[in-house]
Amino acid sequence: MPATSTLLQDPAAAVAPLTIGSLLAAYRSGAVTPGKMAADLLARIDAAGRDEVWISRVPAKQLKQQAAALDLMLQIKGEAVFESMPLFGIPFAVKDNIDVADMPTTGACAEFSHVAPTSATVVQRLQAAGALLVGKTNLDQFATGLVGVRSPYGAVRNAIKPEYVSGGSSSGSAVAVALGQVLFSLGTDTAGSGRVPAAFNHLVGLKPTRGLISAHGLFPACRTLDCISIFAHDVADAWRVLQSAAGYDDADAYSRKPAMLGVKRRGYRIAVPDAPEFYGDAAARDAYERTLSQIAAMPGVTLKKIPFDAFTDAAQLLYQGPWVGERRAALGEFFTRHGADMDPVVRQITAQADNYDAVDAFNAQYRLADLRREAETLLEGSDLLLVPTTTTFPTIAEVQADPVVRNSQLGYYTNFVNLMDMAALAIPGAWRGDGLPAGVTLIGPAGSDHLLAEAGAQFQRVLGGAAQADAIAAAPLPFNEATVQVCVVGAHLSGQPLNWQLLEAGARRVAVTSTAARYRLYALAGTTPPKPGLARTADGNGAAIAVEVWEMPLRQFGGFVAAIPAPLGIGTVELADGRAVKGFICEPAGIAGAADITHHGGWAAYLASLA
């Protein structure tokens, strides 16, 4: 990246946008400094003429001072700063229903505005990771809407075609990223607010498993359903941010430690709606079909059409059922005292809470439980559900002419996800024929975040994006459960034919090392794929053998061991540093007649000698 580059190119230009990874590389090379980046960013925001994106910003002087402090830190610590701060110097924005210390939280309602004494947990975590806060962004008032026009601070215009909606409720957060004013942003997602704006602005929108990111410091829409979400330009950037943002938080009663699923490395079994709905938007249908055909052509991908009624019936419960009472509960006395000051459509939606009582709430929960069970049955045998992110793409004028119906149409593929306790990842798809962006969303059960990210990166590649799936597969979220370390020596090593078994078990590589000098290595005969056998010597006449150590969830260990064929098994292996870990060993009978390849020092070196 040349030193003269600005922060990000025009979203309509043919060149790729700057990503977190490329900016970090520029910092490492010295081509750009945080101070230079901040100056470019401020100039870009000022020149954009898009004041409706922001509700409040960090003062320019303060932002420059913070960037200068990062410059000094980089000079002092050098490369080490990137290890301790994985988001070092990365500019980001926060939706203005998330608290930032000493800044107002408005929820896009001036009468509600109050200065937050402390930052939300997620903001604290991102800043501790080195991210540089630029400001707080506009939204559909109190996060009620999927359109981005329900705000007294102005309708947020689409980043690519300003006469169209930006999507909501996280409108400003999405457009700030799409316009290159930040590299990532935080939104929230109750009914699709972190996915619809992603599709409308050609972005990735990561909606995690509920409770994976702490909601402490978030003013809720529906507290039992809310998720803080992430907007970025590609899947790797969104996943990088989630690595720093996720984590259990005692301060959030809905925070949890979900059991995380591993990735899929041998193709995907994808469920899709049997009769997708687009409300007559032919361009949206065509873009979806072209996207689906490209994904379906990938090796190992199979599609299964399923009825979609269970999902749409659940979606209707969110706004046409007692969950609107949660929105009223969140506002409390403010609604009674200041309802007249609210956006009229938001006020109308919130007032519907008066139509429901406790009996309705319980009956709706029972209905939702039935629909969840039906959905689980429909998805049996599938790795994920893939849907269009949106049904249609209205202009601002069209939404203002029919605000409730147009908004409802946009939630067709999104409203059910949090009600059914699912994770989702929206990615850009094929462009519409009218030059507007379109996207698809990958949906899976709670804990499928890593699986969806790896799959999204695979699909992103065939749709014209970067190849990032291998890096994402090798980087699961920090473990929040009991784990076990396993020493691998042959076909399970990185890049070898059985390494997928570790990745699908949710494992991560933690060390490249060697055994103690007490082992011999043999090339076993007649194994497919070829495998070595590791044996400890009784007389000390051995050598150090190159190995890798992987860490996996303990709950996956039994299934992993069960798949190991004789004569191999799992025992205890002594490493060069004296530690003893579980690892691959070979039965004595398997070594009889096998070629001793100890002198090569490891399986990879032996394979190289054959080549």
Side-chain angles (χ1 to χ4, degrees):
M1 176 179 171
T4 56
S5 291
T6 56
L7 181 65
L8 191 82
Q9 294 85 3
D10 189 291
V15 291
L18 182 66
T19 63
I20 294 174
S22 56
L23 181 56
L24 289 173
Y27 286 157
R28 281 189 165 96
S29 70
V32 175
T33 65
K36 175 65 166 61
M37 179 280 303
D40 284 351
L41 179 147
L42 289 169
R44 184 173 185 82
I45 293 175
D46 290 342
R50 297 298 295 269
D51 292 344
E52 85 276 10
V53 170
W54 301 91
I55 290 180
S56 61
R57 281 173 43 197
V58 174
K61 181 178 179 181
Q62 181 180 336
L63 187 67
K64 290 178 179 178
Q65 288 173 341
Q66 292 171 348
L70 293 176
D71 287 349
L72 181 60
M73 187 181 299
L74 181 57
Q75 293 174 18
I76 294 172
K77 294 187 175 182
E79 282 285 324
V81 76
F82 300 106
E83 296 299 321
S84 60
M85 291 184 168
L87 297 175
F88 177 83
I90 303 300
F92 77 109
V94 171
K95 186 177 181 179
D96 197 22
N97 58 347
I98 301 171
D99 285 346
V100 173
D102 302 321
M103 294 186 74
T105 299
T106 71
C109 181
E111 291 76 15
F112 179 79
S113 178
H114 60 280
V115 175
T118 58
S119 292
T121 299
V122 63
V123 175
Q124 294 180 35
R125 286 179 171 159
L126 293 172
Q127 290 181 317
L132 188 64
L133 180 67
V134 175
K136 306 190 73 178
T137 53
N138 202 354
L139 64 149
D140 282 316
Q141 192 173 80
F142 296 123
T144 304
L146 293 173
V147 286
V149 305
R150 301 171 179 173
S151 172
Y153 298 92
V156 179
R157 295 169 288 163
N158 186 269
I160 297 163
K161 290 196 174 183
E163 66 270 28
Y164 285 81
V165 296
S166 58
S169 61
S170 308
S171 50
S173 290
V175 173
V177 176
L179 292 178
Q181 298 182 356
V182 291
L183 264 62
F184 76 91
S185 64
L186 296 182
T188 63
D189 191 310
T190 305
S193 297
R195 290 162 279 156
V196 171
F200 285 168
N201 294 280
H202 198 62
L203 298 174
V204 167
L206 190 159
K207 189 220 75 72
T209 297
R210 286 194 286 112
L212 188 59
I213 297 178
S214 171
H216 179 64
L218 163 67
F219 182 76
C222 295
R223 191 179 173 201
T224 60
L225 303 178
D226 292 339
C227 297
I228 289 176
S229 65
I230 298 165
F231 293 102
H233 281 290
D234 59 33
V235 179
D237 275 6
W239 189 248
R240 189 192 297 261
V241 173
L242 186 64
Q243 292 273 355
S244 294
Y248 178 76
D249 181 14
D250 276 331
D252 174 13
Y254 287 94
S255 182
R256 58 177 171 165
K257 302 175 181 178
M260 303 304 292
L261 303 180
V263 299
K264 300 291 291 187
R265 298 296 283 170
R266 297 165 296 152
Y268 307 94
R269 301 164 300 174
I270 302 174
V272 296
D274 61 352
E277 175 64 71
F278 296 97
Y279 296 106
D281 190 331
R285 180 181 294 276
D286 173 68
Y288 170 67
E289 291 176 350
R290 285 186 285 116
T291 299
L292 193 60
S293 67
Q294 290 179 267
I295 293 172
M298 295 174 63
V301 168
T302 59
L303 300 184
K304 174 187 176 182
K305 293 185 178 181
I306 61 170
F308 208 63
D309 290 348
F311 303 98
T312 56
D313 288 353
Q316 291 174 9
L317 292 173
L318 190 59
Y319 283 103
Q320 300 173 34
W323 273 272
V324 295
E326 277 209 273
R327 296 181 182 273
R328 177 69 171 270
L331 290 172
E333 286 299 311
F334 180 85
F335 185 81
T336 303
R337 296 176 181 175
H338 297 282
D341 299 318
M342 293 170 55
D343 177 271
V345 178
V346 175
R347 181 176 66 247
Q348 174 188 343
I349 292 169
T350 308
Q352 293 176 19
D354 294 339
N355 299 330
Y356 301 96
D357 59 18
V359 173
D360 296 319
F362 280 110
N363 285 333
Q365 288 282 2
Y366 305 149
R367 175 61 175 151
L368 178 59
D370 290 338
L371 293 170
R372 280 177 176 166
R373 183 59 51 84
E374 185 178 344
E376 289 168 358
T377 301
L378 289 169
L379 294 174
E380 282 182 358
S382 297
D383 298 316
L384 58 94
L385 170 66
L386 188 144
V387 299
T389 301
T390 61
T391 55
T392 184
F393 201 147
T395 64
I396 292 174
E398 287 170 339
V399 167
Q400 290 172 336
D402 195 359
V404 175
V405 171
R406 286 291 190 174
N407 188 93
S408 177
Q409 291 175 346
L410 298 183
Y412 186 90
Y413 294 111
T414 61
N415 284 0
F416 66 87
V417 172
N418 285 347
L419 284 167
M420 289 189 166
D421 195 17
M422 305 177 89
L425 178 73
I427 62 171
W431 287 77
R432 293 162 51 110
D434 55 12
L436 290 168
V440 293
T441 297
L442 291 60
I443 302 171
S448 62
D449 305 77
H450 194 202
L451 185 156
L452 297 180
E454 191 270 350
Q458 294 279 17
F459 303 163
Q460 170 184 268
R461 179 182 56 81
V462 301
L463 293 168
Q468 301 171 332
D470 289 347
I472 290 173
L477 294 172
F479 294 115
N480 56 23
E481 59 182 308
T483 61
V484 60
Q485 291 193 348
V486 182
C487 172
V488 301
V489 68
H492 287 83
L493 292 166
S494 299
Q496 294 301 312
L498 295 182
N499 183 250
W500 63 266
Q501 293 181 344
L502 288 165
L503 296 174
E504 291 195 358
R508 66 152 45 91
R509 192 176 73 180
V510 294
V512 177
T513 183
S514 63
T515 67
R518 310 174 190 275
Y519 292 87
R520 302 202 71 80
L521 192 66
Y522 300 86
L524 303 180
T527 59
T528 304
K531 303 178 188 71
L534 183 71
R536 186 181 178 107
T537 61
D539 56 9
N541 184 27
I545 303 298
V547 295
E548 294 176 353
V549 179
W550 288 68
E551 186 176 13
M552 72 171 62
L554 186 58
R555 60 184 163 82
Q556 297 278 18
F557 185 57
F560 178 76
V561 173
I564 298 172
L568 300 178
I570 293 291
T572 300
V573 175
E574 183 183 356
L575 301 179
D577 61 7
R579 288 188 300 133
V581 298
K582 297 302 175 186
F584 279 82
I585 58 172
C586 188
E587 298 172 355
I591 294 172
D596 189 329
I597 58 172
T598 305
H599 60 284
H600 289 286
W603 184 242
Y606 167 70
L607 293 178
S609 73
L610 298 180

